[in-house]
Amino acid sequence: RGYSVISRRTFLAGTGAGLLAAPLAAEAQQPGSVARIGYLVTSPLESPEARAALEAFRQGLRERGYVEGQNIVIEYRAANGKIERLPGLATELVRLKVDLIVAGNTPGARAAQQATTTIPIVAEVLGDPVGDGLVASLARPGGNITGLTFLGPELVPKRLGLLKEALPKVTRVAALWHPGAFGERTNQVMLKETEGAARALGVQLQLVGVRGPDELDRAFSTMTRERAEALVVFPSTMLFNERRRIVALAAKHRLPSMFNNRESVELGGLISYGASLTDLIRRSATYVDKILKGAKPTDLPVEQPTKFELVINLKTAKALGLTIPPALLARADEVIQ
């Protein structure tokens, strides 16, 4: 399934405006023998979360026989949490005439799409690629973008239902969401469907939007002021990257929390339901390999996850004084004791 990439020393050497380029790139590249790819991400590359994602990608590359600095060179560009920087960074990668651009998420893929219609783009983790106008259809992308979707927006109502099943008495749920995570249409559909699910479940939904990490403290204060009894965190790369802080804030405010990723529950969140994002990132290397061997993005269907995991943290439940219904525990793929 996989591949391999760059040394920590190399990417940590770059700081400043969030631009990370491999210092060895010029020496390592021999004409015609070394593939050169751009790697465009939102988070600072030195953050633990970005390192974990990068390691998953590198593992995928290694599995496909790619060794960074030997038969592949990676040009790193990171927006350091500022989505508005992505278009400029994408343009920079296009100017470098890379063979392919790997985008970490929907905003990165959109920036790359606006910067080039010819260089192939592989997106690691997409929410709603069709709704966001990135591909014509999952089966036939139709342009220069392909990759993987974690079906983010579609599963939000299902998560709300599972949260209500775990906490039957809850009537007020805060929803933490990131307005820039997806395209306008996808965001609207996700909000509308979640509000519909909340009405059907007899739950009052409190939408709390955050555009960046600096708004998280305020968001949790708002939830507490509005007497939220539980929290559902909407899909977003930014919120995923801030999972450690979100889990800590939820614990501080004693809010049982539902996430779309097991990583948050491993850190102390209460419950999660979704695909493994780490697995998707690792699998994106398969697309890189196929394209470098001559395949065109338009002919490579966007991959959807086939496995969704329900993970429950009983330790967190006990700390919050909660009893999770045995029927739900029995359905969990993993229970953290």
Side-chain angles (χ1 to χ4, degrees):
R1 281 193 192 173
Y3 262 11
S4 133
V5 189
I6 192 172
S7 73
R8 284 200 174 127
R9 178 178 57 77
T10 304
F11 82 73
L12 289 175
T15 52
L19 310 183
L20 289 101
L24 303 176
E27 316 155 32
Q29 190 165 15
Q30 297 148 18
S33 64
V34 177
R36 193 178 190 207
I37 69 173
Y39 191 80
L40 181 64
V41 291
T42 308
S43 306
L45 278 180
E46 58 273 20
S47 68
E49 291 75 20
R51 284 192 197 195
L54 185 55
E55 185 44 47
F57 178 60
R58 287 177 175 157
Q59 185 194 340
L61 287 174
R62 280 192 295 273
E63 291 166 3
R64 293 279 159 194
Y66 292 87
V67 179
E68 193 165 8
Q70 289 182 27
N71 58 355
I72 197 164
V73 165
I74 302 180
E75 296 283 354
Y76 293 93
R77 295 294 182 272
N80 285 356
K82 302 197 182 302
I83 285 179
E84 63 274 14
R85 286 187 186 172
L86 289 168
L89 300 177
T91 303
E92 220 174 288
L93 290 171
V94 171
R95 280 201 212 105
L96 288 172
K97 295 185 167 61
V98 292
D99 298 307
L100 178 150
I101 295 172
V102 176
N105 55 21
T106 296
R110 192 180 291 116
Q113 184 187 43
Q114 285 161 359
T116 177
T117 56
T118 53
I119 296 173
I121 299 160
V122 172
E124 293 180 321
V125 181
L126 292 170
D128 181 6
V130 179
D132 285 338
L134 293 170
V135 299
S137 73
L138 297 182
R140 300 281 297 173
N144 62 326
I145 295 185
T146 187
L148 303 98
T149 171
F150 66 110
L151 299 176
E154 292 94 320
L155 296 175
V156 177
K158 166 90 174 168
R159 284 189 197 101
L160 190 59
L162 286 166
L163 182 63
K164 178 70 173 170
E165 195 178 337
L167 311 166
K169 291 178 181 169
V170 159
T171 58
R172 298 173 73 85
V173 176
L176 185 68
W177 74 293
H178 173 205
F182 306 107
E184 190 57 33
R185 177 176 168 265
T186 301
N187 274 332
Q188 289 310 315
V189 169
M190 179 167 63
L191 293 174
K192 200 173 160 192
E193 288 185 1
T194 308
E195 285 169 337
R199 279 194 299 275
L201 292 163
V203 166
Q204 194 177 337
L205 196 67
Q206 175 200 1
L207 293 167
V208 185
V210 288
R211 293 194 172 271
D214 53 343
E215 297 180 15
L216 285 170
D217 286 317
R218 174 197 56 77
F220 275 86
S221 298
T222 302
M223 292 173 203
T224 304
R225 197 171 56 246
E226 298 288 329
R227 301 191 309 284
E229 299 166 310
L231 166 69
V232 60
V233 180
F234 277 27
S236 147
T237 304
M238 184 269 288
L239 296 177
F240 177 68
N241 289 336
E242 294 296 322
R243 59 190 179 274
R244 197 172 294 274
R245 198 156 146 229
I246 291 168
V247 167
L249 282 165
K252 179 185 166 187
H253 292 268
R254 296 193 62 76
L255 282 171
S257 49
M258 160 62 88
F259 294 87
N260 70 323
N261 60 89
R262 65 173 300 126
E263 290 87 349
S264 295
V265 178
E266 286 166 357
L267 289 170
L270 178 65
I271 186 168
S272 70
Y273 180 75
S276 165
L277 300 186
T278 305
D279 188 49
L280 292 182
I281 291 166
R282 184 175 59 77
R283 290 189 57 74
S284 67
T286 307
Y287 283 86
V288 176
D289 179 47
K290 286 177 180 172
I291 290 168
L292 291 178
K293 286 175 176 166
K296 293 190 165 28
T298 187
D299 299 324
L300 297 172
V302 173
E303 185 177 313
Q304 301 179 72
T306 51
K307 185 176 190 297
F308 299 98
E309 298 177 312
L310 176 64
V311 183
I312 299 170
N313 192 321
L314 265 193
K315 208 162 128 187
T316 300
K318 283 171 189 156
L320 291 168
L322 302 170
T323 303
I324 304 294
L328 188 63
L329 282 175
R331 296 205 324 267
D333 295 279
E334 187 177 341
V335 175
I336 297 170
Q337 301 281 359

